[in-house]
């Protein structure tokens, strides 16, 4: 049986510069796969290729046995792939609730004419989406902020709003790009629980995160990138002991000194 | 055959003006990502100011120099007063600002000058020169030479001078340019001045052949944009080739289809380019800029 | 009370109450002009305010709508009212054809292409004299609604009829735009305005939705053009002119491109200004250009939202 999401030899160059080269790994339902590596290792670029924001220069993305390489994000959304962004992509011009409701787009959209005339079917769809959105806001702890303008929220709150919006799609694969960035310890723990909970419901999660404690705690599998290439992968304990990984984070000299210790960013 | 030759000659002549407008577009677009809808007004100002300075008794070369300098000053004012304060505004706002500037400049020109068609004498007489079985006006040669000279000048500026390289660096990566100490604001202002001066030069060169009036700007901007898109947005070589090509298409449309609809050619070109090759002839993400 | 209900009530109240303050019949005429312009600008609100796209050629659609009312009754035997709908369908079709390739690309392409399209329509209307009778314009048949009202015993002067009829159409147009705002489609449009990439990630077919907004706004402009032609019983190619397109955009950004009430405010200000200031004619372009620049630099959201924000800020 093949995995739910398979990344095969993915690569991309920008103006002759190799940003990501020959990266392969797989993710199964319920699994949390973390992609780690120093700044500029190509983690976000990799995410952008998997989610269709960039068209890969080489390799393939296979979702549930289907080649979806370079497919537009809106089509991938229909196939059950969703993501959040490292540098927030919030609908600043809308309320918190509307941001979450937007995540229900695929399920709430219907005939244009019904929308223009505000027919009962439109109202029904909108009501259902709103109820779903409120439940999700509750889940990420933003229920009280529902009616506020999204732009007025703190960074950490917006991170959670993005997660709520991505969850609204009921994805089968969820890509989270630094979900805990800018969050305090309590919020980080909440996100931690949330991710574990979502994974437990059978979603395959790809995670980019700088908080190494969190990564080591919740990941089933870790992929390490350096200079755009995969230098290691495996279980958290194994990866953290890998000299190549430590060298990548701390430099080759440190690797010798710190061998056996857990790398932390 | 000589008829076709004649159409080609006039096409290349008009194309030279479009190329200059497109080059002006390209400079500002590369430096700032702003699509300057007021680009055509620079051409109008170049022609109108020269006309009126010449009418006031100044010799033509001096009048032209004054026109180019004054238009460059207008370009700087546009950047300082309208574009710079709106830094960070979405594309929508920038489009509306430059369109607003274009309407404003038009309105002022209509008040300060008048609504008449104007021209001034050609630089070196009006006696047509026989060439390849057709005739061409001496002024047309001036226009063509002007477009090529500007292109070469820009190429030298961008590759051979420190300032030019700073502009290029800014267009490639604004943040990085800032980090290595390039004054991005100054680069923007310079781009607007340069672009306005080139537009004004186009006006000075073209007016003896095409005439000028306060309201020629918008159509020219549209055609300059069509030319830039045909060649590939942001690519100076594309601007030059796209401009000449558009001029040829127009001249052939006027000659063989309908002279009334020659102005529609630019629009059709835009649509065809958008349908068939949105990157234009020379445009691609990795194409080297001049 | 929701914004939607409040907006509709305010607009309806303006239409009904204003006539009590009209010193002469002439004001009905100005009023109906405002309503027609507000209708067109409501379309711009959908395109620019909701979806964040700029068109510089919407007068072209007004031209199609206007000339449909002049030509379709004569050449196709359509009732003038049906001709207006025919024009709207035609405008929508043209918008669809032109918008489809363009709206897949970056923001300014629509501005340029629509600018070209508007110029092209104006050119055709002025040059194809065999059909349109050229730059001097052409007469438009009577809608006949006024006579129909008279037949059932309602006697109303022509200017007054057009005042109320335009007002009614404007309010219905506003109602539809407000419906759209809070509907799934409207939410998707505003979402792609806020962040195109995030919109795609939640499954929004960005190109298709932009196209919908463009087509809808074209239909609004077309109907406004038809209304204008029908009440003037005459139309010239100027209706499709570049300056008319610019006026529409300016009205929208002045009042507040995101707000239907703002559209009305912008239309009201820029329609009455030339009537109040007789010198306006000469300074029209300067003023329009200045308004566009100043509003975008200092009040990016437009008059109404900026004022509302200030008032709300004071309450706190």
């Amino acid at each position: 049986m093949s995995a739910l999401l398979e990344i095969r030899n993915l690569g991309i160059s920008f103006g002759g510069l190799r940003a990501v080269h020959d990266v392969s790994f797989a993710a199964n339902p319920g699994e949390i796969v973390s992609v780690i590596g120093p700044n500029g290792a190509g983690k976000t670029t990799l995410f952008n290729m998997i989610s269709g924001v960039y068209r890969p220069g080489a390799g393939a993305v296979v979702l549930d046995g289907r080649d979806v390489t370079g497919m537009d994000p809106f089509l991938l959304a229909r196939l059950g792939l969703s993501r959040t962004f490292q540098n927030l992509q919030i609908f600043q011009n809308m309320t918190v609730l509307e941001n979450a409701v937007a995540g229900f787009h695929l399920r709430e959209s219907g005939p244009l004419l019904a929308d223009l005339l505000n027919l009962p079917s439109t109202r029904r769809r909108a009501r259902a989406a709103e109820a779903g959105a409120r439940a999700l806001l509750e889940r990420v702890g933003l229920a009280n902020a529902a009616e506020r303008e999204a732009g007025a929220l703190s960074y950490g709150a917006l991170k959670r709003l993005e997660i709520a919006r991505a969850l609204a799609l009921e994805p089968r694969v969820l890509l989270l790009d630094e979900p805990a960035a800018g969050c305090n310890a309590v919020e980080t723990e909440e996100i931690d629980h949330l991710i574990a909970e979502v994974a437990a419901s059978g979603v395959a999660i790809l995670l980019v995160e700088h908080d190494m404690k969190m990564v080591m705690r919740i990941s089933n599998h870790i992929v390490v990138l350096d200079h755009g290439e995969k230098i290691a992968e495996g279980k958290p304990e194994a990866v953290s002991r890998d000299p190549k990984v430590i060298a990548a984070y701390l430099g080759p000299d440190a690797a010798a000194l710190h061998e056996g210790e857990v790398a932390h960013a | 055959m000589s008829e076709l030759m004649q159409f080609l000659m006039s096409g290349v002549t008009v194309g030279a003006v479009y190329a200059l407008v497109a080059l002006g577009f390209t400079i500002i677009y590369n430096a700032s990502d702003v699509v300057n809808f007021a680009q055509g007004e620079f051409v109008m100002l170049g022609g109108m100011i020269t006309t009126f300075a010449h009418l006031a008794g100044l010799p033509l070369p001096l009048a032209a120099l004054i026109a180019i300098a004054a238009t460059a000053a207008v370009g700087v004012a546009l950047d300082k007063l309208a574009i710079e304060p709106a830094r960070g505004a979405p594309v929508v706002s920038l489009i509306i600002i430059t369109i607003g500037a274009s309407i404003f400049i038009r309105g002022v020109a209509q008040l300060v000058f008048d609504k008449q068609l104007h021209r001034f004498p050609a630089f070196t007489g009006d006696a047509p020169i026989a060439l390849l079985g057709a005739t061409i006006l001496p002024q047309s040669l001036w226009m063509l030479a002007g477009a090529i000279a500007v292109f070469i000048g820009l190429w030298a500026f961008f590759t051979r001078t420190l300032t030019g390289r700073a502009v290029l660096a800014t267009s490639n990566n604004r943040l990085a340019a800032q980090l290595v100490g390039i004054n991005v604001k100054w680069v923007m202002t310079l781009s607007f001045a340069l672009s306005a001066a080139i537009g004004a030069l186009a006006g000075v060169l073209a007016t003896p052949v095409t005439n000028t009036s306060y309201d020629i700007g918008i159509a020219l901007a549209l055609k300059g944009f069509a030319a830039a898109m045909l060649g590939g947005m942001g690519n100076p070589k594309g601007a030059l080739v796209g401009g000449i090509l558009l001029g040829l298409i127009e001249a052939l449309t006027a000659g063989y289809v309908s002279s009334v609809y020659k102005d529609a050619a630019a629009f059709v070109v835009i649509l065809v380019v958008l349908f068939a090759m949105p990157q234009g002839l020379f445009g691609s993400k990795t194409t080297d800029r001049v | 009370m929701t914004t939607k209900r409040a907006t509709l009530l305010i607009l309806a109240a303006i239409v009904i109450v204003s006539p009590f303050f009209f010193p002469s019949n002439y004001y009905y005429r100005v009023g109906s002009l405002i309503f027609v312009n507000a209708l067109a600008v409501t379309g711009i609100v959908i395109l620019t305010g909701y979806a964040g796209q700029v068109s510089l050629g919407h007068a072209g659609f007004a031209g199609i709508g206007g000339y449909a009312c002049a030509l379709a009754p004569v050449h196709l035997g359509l009732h003038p009212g049906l001709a207006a709908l025919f024009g709207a369908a035609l405008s929508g079709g043209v918008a669809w054809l032109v918008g489809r390739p363009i709206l897949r690309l970056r923001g300014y392409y629509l501005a340029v292409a629509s600018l070209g399209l508007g110029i092209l329509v104006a050119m055709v209307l002025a040059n194809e004299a065999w059909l349109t009778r050229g730059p001097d314009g052409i007469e438009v048949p009577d809608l006949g609604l006024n006579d129909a009202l008279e037949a059932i015993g309602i006697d109303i002067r022509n200017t007054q009829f057009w005042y109320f009829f335009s007002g009614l159409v404007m309010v219905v147009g506003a109602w539809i735009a407000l419906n759209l705002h809070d509907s799934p489609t409207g939410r998707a449009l505003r979402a792609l305005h806020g962040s195109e990439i995030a919109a795609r990630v939640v499954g929004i077919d960005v190109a298709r939705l932009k196209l919908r907004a463009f087509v809808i706004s074209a239909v609004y402009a077309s109907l406004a053009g038809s209304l204008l032609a029908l009440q003037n019983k005459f139309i010239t190619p100027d209706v499709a002119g570049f300056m008319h397109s610019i006026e529409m955009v300016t009205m929208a950004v002045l009042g507040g491109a995101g707000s239907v009430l703002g559209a009305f405010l912008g239309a009201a200000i820029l329609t009455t200004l030339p009537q109040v200031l007789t010198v306006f004619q000469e300074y029209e372009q300067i003023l329009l250009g200045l308004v566009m620049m100043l509003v975008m630099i200092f009040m990016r959201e437009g008059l109404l939202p900026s004022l509302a924000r200030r008032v709300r800020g004071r309450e706190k």
Side-chain angles (χ1 to χ4, degrees):
Chain A
M1 225 204 82
S2 60
L4 175 59
L5 178 72
E6 260 186 89
I7 310 303
R8 293 184 192 153
N9 314 101
L10 219 49
I12 192 171
S13 303
F14 296 115
L17 216 75
R18 248 172 29 184
V20 171
H21 178 65
D22 199 25
V23 172
S24 304
F25 62 93
N28 287 302
E31 209 174 32
I32 300 175
V33 177
S34 289
V35 180
I36 63 170
N39 280 325
K43 301 176 302 260
T44 295
T45 306
L46 179 68
F47 265 31
N48 282 338
M49 283 192 285
I50 297 173
S51 61
V53 176
Y54 297 160
R55 181 179 289 277
V61 179
V62 179
L63 181 63
D64 212 4
R66 180 173 173 186
D67 187 347
V68 297
T69 317
M71 200 182 259
D72 196 281
F74 85 87
L75 293 171
L76 285 171
R78 288 171 195 192
L79 297 175
L81 186 141
S82 184
R83 70 169 292 185
T84 67
F85 295 87
Q86 179 189 6
N87 52 346
L88 296 169
Q89 292 289 339
I90 289 289
F91 306 129
Q92 303 272 4
N93 51 340
M94 306 187 348
T95 65
V96 171
L97 179 65
E98 281 183 310
N99 265 273
V101 174
F104 286 87
H105 173 75
L106 288 176
R107 273 174 288 159
E108 74 156 351
S109 63
L112 177 61
L113 200 62
D115 284 7
L116 291 172
L117 301 177
N118 195 25
L119 295 183
S121 70
T122 289
R123 273 176 278 169
R124 205 161 40 235
R125 281 183 276 120
R127 257 201 314 274
E130 192 186 315
R134 284 192 190 277
L136 278 173
L137 289 179
E138 185 83 43
R139 201 165 154 197
V140 298
L142 289 172
N144 291 328
E147 316 300 337
R148 290 175 64 190
E149 299 231 353
L153 259 54
S154 72
Y155 188 79
L158 290 177
K159 279 275 174 195
R160 280 178 288 152
L161 178 56
E162 272 205 350
I163 296 176
R165 190 179 66 195
L167 285 178
L169 279 96
E170 294 185 354
R172 293 192 293 158
V173 177
L174 178 60
L175 280 62
L176 300 171
D177 200 346
E178 299 194 20
C183 295
N184 61 36
V186 181
E187 288 171 333
T188 303
E189 196 161 328
E190 281 169 11
I191 287 178
D192 200 328
H193 287 306
L194 184 65
I195 294 173
E197 206 178 286
V198 173
S201 71
V203 177
I205 291 180
L206 258 54
L207 179 70
V208 165
E209 182 50 62
H210 276 298
D211 185 335
M212 278 307 138
K213 272 188 246 150
M214 175 173 168
V215 168
M216 292 300 158
R217 196 163 53 225
I218 67 173
S219 307
N220 302 98
H221 193 84
I222 294 180
V223 176
V224 190
L225 293 189
D226 190 26
H227 294 108
E229 296 190 41
K230 185 173 80 176
I231 57 167
E233 84 174 304
K235 297 234 171 293
E237 314 81 60
V239 164
S240 66
R241 266 185 252 112
D242 191 323
K244 267 196 290 185
V245 177
I246 299 163
Y249 268 90
L250 303 171
D253 301 336
L257 288 172
H258 287 254
E259 197 163 0
E261 280 184 35
V262 173
H264 49 87
Chain B
M1 192 57 213
S2 76
E3 191 188 50
L4 173 66
M5 211 55 224
Q6 195 59 55
F7 293 148
L8 292 182
M9 296 264 183
S10 69
V12 169
T13 307
V14 185
V17 178
Y18 299 160
L20 284 171
V21 180
L23 279 170
F25 256 133
T26 305
I27 293 169
I28 291 180
Y29 179 75
N30 278 350
S32 63
D33 272 342
V34 173
V35 173
N36 177 27
F37 281 87
Q39 194 65 33
E41 299 336 299
F42 295 152
V43 183
M44 179 273 288
L45 285 177
M48 290 297 262
I49 296 174
T50 308
T51 304
F52 278 77
H54 187 54
L55 280 179
L58 293 179
L60 200 51
L62 184 61
L65 271 181
I66 289 175
I68 292 171
T71 308
V74 171
V76 170
L78 175 61
D79 176 49
K80 286 285 168 201
L81 299 179
I83 304 294
E84 212 176 276
R87 163 107 349 120
V91 180
V92 182
S93 309
L94 289 173
I95 291 175
I96 293 173
I97 286 173
T98 61
I99 268 282
S102 146
I103 308 290
F104 178 76
I105 294 171
R106 229 165 100 126
V108 172
Q110 179 192 338
L111 270 189
V112 173
F113 306 121
D114 57 24
K115 292 187 174 187
Q116 310 301 314
L117 270 179
H118 291 284
R119 74 178 290 253
F120 45 79
F123 298 178
T124 47
D126 292 316
I129 304 166
L131 191 68
L132 301 168
T135 58
I136 190 165
L137 290 171
Q139 189 67 25
S140 299
L141 296 177
W142 278 100
M143 288 158 75
L144 211 54
I148 293 169
V150 165
F151 178 76
I152 294 173
L154 283 178
W155 175 79
F157 173 68
F158 282 127
T159 55
R160 297 291 155 90
T161 69
L162 204 60
T163 315
R165 289 205 203 123
V167 177
L168 262 196
T170 310
S171 72
N172 285 332
N173 188 334
R174 173 180 296 265
L175 194 67
Q178 222 152 17
L179 288 177
V180 297
I182 294 172
N183 185 342
V184 171
K185 263 190 194 172
W186 186 77
V187 165
M188 286 273 291
T189 309
L190 179 72
S191 306
F192 270 87
L194 199 59
S195 171
I198 291 173
L201 176 68
V204 170
L205 293 172
T207 301
V209 177
T210 60
N211 293 349
T212 191
S213 73
Y214 79 103
D215 61 354
I216 60 164
I218 276 298
L220 274 175
L222 182 68
K223 288 171 185 180
F225 194 90
M229 265 175 57
L230 183 59
M233 253 337 244
N235 183 319
K237 194 167 56 181
L240 184 71
V241 176
I244 305 268
L245 265 181
L246 181 65
L248 287 174
I249 294 171
E250 250 190 46
L252 293 176
T253 311
Y256 293 114
V257 186
S258 144
S259 59
V260 174
Y261 286 109
K262 77 174 173 54
D263 289 330
F267 173 64
V268 176
V269 164
I270 288 180
L271 280 187
V272 170
V273 170
L274 287 176
F275 267 109
M277 43 166 195
Q279 298 288 345
L281 293 174
F282 297 99
S284 84
K285 276 174 193 156
T286 50
T287 311
D288 291 341
R289 286 159 175 157
V290 167
Chain C
M1 189 159 55
T2 59
T3 319
K4 176 171 156 183
R5 206 163 292 169
T7 303
L8 289 175
L9 272 176
I10 291 170
L11 288 179
I14 287 170
V15 175
I16 295 165
V17 176
S18 303
F20 290 107
F21 302 95
F22 286 170
S24 77
N25 228 5
Y26 165 74
Y27 287 78
Y28 283 101
R29 166 85 188 132
V30 178
S32 75
L33 268 182
I34 291 175
F35 299 155
V36 168
N37 282 333
L39 180 69
V41 178
T42 305
I44 303 286
V45 164
I46 293 172
L47 181 70
T48 307
Y50 296 2
Q53 308 299 307
V54 183
S55 164
L56 301 175
H58 256 52
F61 299 120
I64 293 176
Y67 273 83
C69 288
L71 300 176
V74 179
H75 296 280
L76 303 175
L78 285 180
H79 181 272
L82 280 179
L85 296 182
F86 171 72
L90 196 62
S91 293
V94 170
W96 188 82
L97 275 178
V98 173
R100 228 169 86 90
I102 290 162
L103 287 163
R104 301 189 176 280
L105 304 165
R106 288 174 64 179
Y108 48 80
Y109 283 111
L110 181 67
V112 175
S114 58
L115 170 60
L117 176 67
I119 291 176
L120 190 64
V121 171
M123 216 188 288
V124 171
L125 293 178
N127 288 321
E128 299 302 315
W130 59 274
L131 184 68
T132 65
R133 293 220 219 118
D136 295 334
I138 186 170
E139 60 281 357
V140 177
D142 193 73
L143 181 58
L145 258 185
N146 207 356
D147 294 341
L149 286 178
E150 222 164 273
I152 57 168
I154 301 171
D155 195 13
I156 185 167
R157 294 176 76 139
N158 199 41
T159 44
Q160 292 175 356
F161 165 76
W162 280 107
Y163 171 88
F164 286 110
F165 187 67
S166 307
L168 178 70
V169 177
M170 174 191 74
V171 172
V172 171
W175 175 69
I176 289 175
L178 289 163
N179 283 344
L180 185 67
H181 184 271
D182 294 325
S183 76
T185 304
R187 195 158 25 241
L189 288 174
R190 288 181 290 131
L192 71 87
H193 186 185
S195 163
E196 201 161 312
I197 181 65
R200 280 156 71 198
V201 163
V202 297
I204 293 170
D205 186 344
V206 167
R208 184 180 150 127
L209 271 148
K210 284 182 190 168
L211 186 57
R212 283 183 169 185
F214 188 53
V215 170
I216 294 170
S217 68
V219 169
Y220 270 87
S222 181
L223 289 174
S226 295
L227 266 180
L228 191 70
L230 287 169
Q231 64 175 286
N232 289 345
K233 298 203 171 61
F234 196 78
I235 188 161
T236 69
D238 285 346
V239 72
F242 169 67
M243 282 313 290
H244 190 207
S245 290
I246 296 305
E247 274 172 20
M248 286 188 203
V249 176
T250 313
M251 286 172 182
V253 299
L254 173 63
S259 133
V260 172
L261 206 54
F264 174 81
L265 184 67
I269 293 173
L270 283 186
T271 311
T272 43
L273 219 54
Q275 324 277 339
V276 181
L277 302 169
T278 39
V279 289
F280 188 74
Q281 194 63 30
E282 217 163 285
Y283 295 92
E284 182 179 8
Q285 303 206 355
I286 295 181
L287 222 64
L288 279 181
L290 262 186
V291 166
M292 290 172 87
M293 288 193 285
L294 292 178
V295 170
M296 277 300 118
I297 295 168
F298 296 112
M299 288 192 298
R300 218 167 279 165
E301 293 171 277
L303 223 47
L304 201 69
S306 295
L307 287 178
R309 194 166 287 249
R310 203 155 293 172
V311 170
R312 239 178 288 143
R314 203 164 294 160
E315 277 169 7
K316 273 178 191 168

